[in-house]
Amino acid sequence: MVDAHSTPSKPQHGLSLLRDPLLNRGTAFTEQERAALGLRGLLPPCVLTMQTQADRVLTNLRTLPTDLEKYVALNALHDRNEALFFRVVCDNIDEIQPLIYTPTVGLACQKYGLIFQRPRGMFISSRDRGQIAEILQNWPYEAKLIVVTDGERILGLGDLGANGMGIPVGKLSLYSACAGVHPELCLPIVLDVGTNNEELLADPYYLGLRERRLTGEAYDSFVDEFMTAARKTFPGVLIQFEDFANHSAFKLLHKYRDEACVFNDDIQGTAAVALAGLFSALRVSGGKLRDQKILFLGAGEAATGIADLVVSAMMAEGASEAEALRRNWLVDSRGLVVKDRAGLSGHKLRYAHDDQAPVADFLTAIKTLKPTAIIGVAAVGGAFTPEVLKAMAALNAQPIVFALSNPTSKAECSAEDAYRYTEGRALFACGSPYDPVTLNGKTFVPRQGNNSYIFPGVGLGVIASGSRLVTDEMFMAAAHSLADCVGKNDLSQGSLYPALPRIREVSARIAAAVAQVAYQRGLAEGPAPNDVMSQVQSQMYEPHY
Ligand SMILES: NC(=O)c1ccc[n+]([C@@H]2O[C@H](COP(=O)([O-])OP(=O)(O)OC[C@H]3O[C@@H](n4cnc5c(N)ncnc54)[C@H](O)[C@@H]3O)[C@@H](O)[C@H]2O)c1
């Protein structure tokens, strides 16, 4: 296991040591360390263990009245003592993940200007054009993993401009906590190209550029400069695109995926986590994926990403491409996506079926198409109404209902409604956390179809193997590995995903599967080791002193 390592150029003594979050151990510095490192007198005399420090953090955290305050407190800890922060996150992932990532991070981004204390990551604005490579040199570490956003579509909350920085920061924390990617290798970046959000433009605390978004050729060349500079400054770096709006997300992914080590988690990570959930659901209901009919509410990055991977998985089960496509249908804000509709954007065309008349609303689409599964990824809160859920229950013995939109206010339905209106028959996954639901004496434990089951392991596998590219085959392998981690006990209580506290074991399995693909396809840096799992595990950061 890799410990938090120190960089020779870093200050190693006295107060500056206590102020370096990568090296600070606070009250856990031993008597000997205090003497050797010039810390005597700078700390209270009592020496605490890391466990006591972690307990103290949790005790304090639990007294705080709101999730946003807990988010701020955890960020402050992250800025003070990185190892302790990750110890607390790793040991209490169920409790802490919703505080450092979705759903709380959505509110944190909305209030980013107000709660801002210390910068984390890098802010590159359109004013930096022509100098991005020079600016990236200011990052003091060797980045192997960049998560970058332009803040245009933060979760289901829309354009939050530079406030979107909370997302790369949160996501990279999960890379380290869930898969042990060393925090020092992680670089969160916001590309500040302005915002079209009027509220932010008028907000005195907004920290981004107060100008409208860069568009067209100027935007493309800015992102291109960033991509070139990032790859030159950090050779081999994995770049994850995050929360870009539709029109940029698909374009960037297609532009760079065959030449650079990139992926888009909103499209590909979501796809793998949803596919794994479908595999689990089918273990309960029986039946093959290739025989399902899936109706998506939403036709954006998540929906088409999932549909594309589902089509590949159906084809792997023997369906032709045409058959697989016919089994996936999309509903967007203008109704069912069908060939007859004019002006459909490019990413929807694959699912624009002919010989089907337009259908205006989701409930009618259900009654018309009779799907076995509905997947909500439209960020329209409450869209799975009681009528929608009852219609699915009337059509299917065990309807598959995934309400994946984030944050909680955007969820298509609550877990309670999903079970209640299907008489407890729904095979349910959610995008936001829900407590267990007891119905007619049976307790269901809904689990989040959260990308955090997938991207940390994928990132670790890519970094461990030194893969040059990130391929769809890797996401398919990740989905299978995740589904394989779901046990019979999970399924019997309605859980389609493994318990979150197993996430590091799950991520290691996903990473090994992803690395294996890299080796098999000749994408890896060197020859395959005898034991890929051991190679992956040897690279996992363990937060301890
Ligand atoms: N659970 C997870 O891990 C996970 C992963 C990815 C995305 N999500 C969530 O899914 C949601 C969508 O994400 P995305 O990346 O696809 O966004 P997106 O902007 O790419 O797509 C949203 C889609 O919803 C459609 N839509 C909007 N209003 C609609 C309406 N009234 N009826 C039907 N469709 C409507 C839009 O036309 C668009 O196609 C967000 O809330 C996001 O947070 C969750």
Side-chain angles (χ1 to χ4, degrees):
M1 301 286 169
V2 179
D3 289 332
H5 45 268
S6 54
T7 308
S9 58
K10 275 207 210 94
Q12 302 278 340
H13 270 71
L15 213 45
S16 51
L17 175 58
L18 295 180
R19 289 185 177 157
D20 183 336
L22 286 173
L23 301 174
N24 182 28
R25 301 174 182 190
T27 49
F29 277 115
T30 62
E31 298 289 1
Q32 294 86 333
E33 287 165 342
R34 293 175 191 212
L37 298 168
L39 296 173
R40 291 184 63 212
L42 297 178
L43 287 163
C46 189
V47 175
L48 299 182
T49 63
M50 192 180 205
Q51 188 56 53
T52 307
Q53 288 181 313
D55 292 345
R56 184 180 53 188
V57 168
L58 280 176
T59 303
N60 275 321
L61 204 62
R62 288 172 184 158
T63 63
L64 295 174
T66 67
D67 287 349
L68 189 63
E69 284 163 275
K70 294 178 190 191
Y71 175 92
V72 171
L74 285 162
N75 261 311
L77 173 63
H78 196 177
D79 288 341
R80 235 176 20 245
N81 182 334
E82 195 137 290
L84 183 57
F85 169 78
F86 282 112
R87 183 79 272 145
V88 170
V89 179
C90 289
D91 290 350
N92 305 277
I93 190 81
D94 264 333
E95 180 178 349
I96 306 289
Q97 178 169 306
L99 298 172
I100 59 169
Y101 200 59
T102 55
T104 310
V105 72
L107 184 59
C109 287
Q110 289 172 312
K111 306 255 180 213
Y112 185 77
L114 197 63
I115 62 175
F116 179 86
Q117 293 182 358
R118 266 199 195 196
R120 177 170 284 279
M122 297 198 83
F123 301 78
I124 296 173
S125 87
S126 41
R127 293 202 190 134
D128 300 323
R129 270 178 284 182
Q131 300 160 50
I132 299 179
E134 197 185 315
I135 288 171
L136 288 175
Q137 298 284 346
N138 289 340
W139 189 248
Y141 310 108
E142 183 208 346
K144 285 210 180 285
L145 172 57
I146 289 173
V147 176
V148 61
T149 187
D150 73 353
E152 189 168 4
R153 199 243 54 199
I154 294 301
L155 305 175
L157 300 169
D159 180 356
L160 296 185
N163 285 7
M165 182 53 131
I167 297 290
V169 167
K171 208 125 202 179
L172 283 163
S173 293
L174 295 187
Y175 270 105
S176 300
C178 299
V181 177
H182 199 289
E184 213 173 277
L185 303 177
C186 298
L187 171 53
I189 293 185
V190 71
L191 296 179
D192 185 351
V193 293
T195 178
N196 294 341
N197 182 327
E198 300 296 342
E199 261 179 56
L200 290 180
L201 288 169
D203 178 352
Y205 303 126
Y206 180 57
L207 293 168
L209 285 186
R210 265 164 221 282
E211 50 192 56
R212 298 202 163 270
R213 279 188 173 273
L214 210 59
T215 56
E217 163 52 25
Y219 175 90
D220 292 346
S221 61
F222 173 70
V223 176
D224 208 47
E225 184 190 338
F226 163 72
M227 289 298 292
T228 306
R231 293 167 64 204
K232 195 166 154 229
T233 312
F234 310 111
V237 66
L238 166 60
I239 300 176
Q240 188 207 301
F241 297 120
E242 181 70 28
D243 282 3
F244 283 79
N246 268 199
H247 53 97
S248 309
F250 290 107
K251 195 170 65 181
L252 294 176
L253 181 61
H254 291 122
K255 182 168 178 184
Y256 296 107
R257 63 182 302 165
D258 294 328
E259 65 174 63
C261 189
V262 302
F263 75 97
N264 180 308
D265 187 54
D266 306 305
I267 300 173
Q268 297 162 287
T270 306
V273 82
L275 179 60
L278 289 171
F279 286 143
S280 296
L282 293 172
R283 277 170 64 193
V284 180
S285 65
K288 290 191 166 150
L289 184 69
R290 60 170 290 183
D291 298 326
Q292 305 308 306
K293 188 179 270 185
I294 302 172
L295 179 63
F296 293 85
L297 183 70
E301 295 167 46
T304 52
I306 299 168
D308 284 351
L309 199 63
V310 166
V311 165
S312 301
M314 286 177 164
M315 289 168 69
E317 288 186 357
S320 70
E321 184 179 2
E323 284 165 352
L325 287 169
R326 285 293 297 182
R327 294 192 162 273
N328 288 273
W329 294 76
L330 313 177
V331 170
D332 67 10
S333 53
R334 290 163 53 217
L336 192 63
V337 171
V338 289
K339 200 137 216 157
D340 275 357
R341 268 181 45 187
L344 284 172
S345 4
H347 63 277
K348 301 180 190 174
L349 291 177
R350 207 175 173 213
Y351 301 96
H353 301 298
D354 45 22
D355 67 42
Q356 171 60 53
V359 174
D361 70 287
F362 193 59
L363 183 57
T364 312
I366 291 178
K367 291 180 176 165
T368 309
L369 296 170
K370 302 185 175 35
T372 55
I374 51 174
I375 299 184
V377 273
V380 180
F384 291 175
T385 59
E387 291 70 33
V388 161
L389 296 165
K390 284 178 189 169
M392 284 300 288
L395 288 167
N396 299 285
Q398 292 194 286
I400 297 173
V401 176
F402 290 1
L404 297 184
S405 288
N406 273 318
T408 314
S409 61
K410 304 287 180 184
E412 286 76 14
C413 67
S414 66
E416 195 177 340
D417 281 358
Y419 294 121
R420 187 189 320 152
Y421 293 114
T422 60
E423 298 138 0
R425 289 184 282 123
L427 299 168
F428 178 71
C430 38
S432 300
Y434 285 106
D435 288 334
V437 174
T438 301
L439 190 78
N440 301 331
K442 175 163 183 186
T443 298
F444 298 90
V445 182
R447 294 215 174 112
Q448 267 182 277
N450 194 312
N451 299 29
S452 63
Y453 279 114
I454 293 286
F455 67 79
V458 170
L460 176 64
V462 168
I463 293 171
S465 62
S467 184
R468 284 187 290 112
L469 300 175
V470 190
T471 64
D472 280 344
E473 191 183 357
M474 293 176 181
F475 285 98
M476 184 77 83
H480 279 292
S481 298
L482 175 55
D484 289 347
C485 292
V486 181
K488 286 197 178 123
N489 290 346
D490 296 316
L491 296 177
S492 67
Q493 60 181 16
S495 304
L496 303 182
Y497 296 97
L500 207 48
R502 288 179 55 206
I503 188 65
R504 284 173 75 96
E505 167 210 335
V506 170
S507 295
R509 283 173 70 168
I510 290 173
V514 165
Q516 199 72 56
V517 174
Y519 289 117
Q520 280 164 359
R521 299 292 172 209
L523 295 168
E525 211 164 28
N530 291 334
D531 183 350
V532 176
M533 178 57 102
S534 299
Q535 183 208 26
V536 159
Q537 284 172 330
S538 72
Q539 301 205 12
M540 289 174 78
Y541 161 79
E542 278 289 331
H544 55 68
Y545 299 141

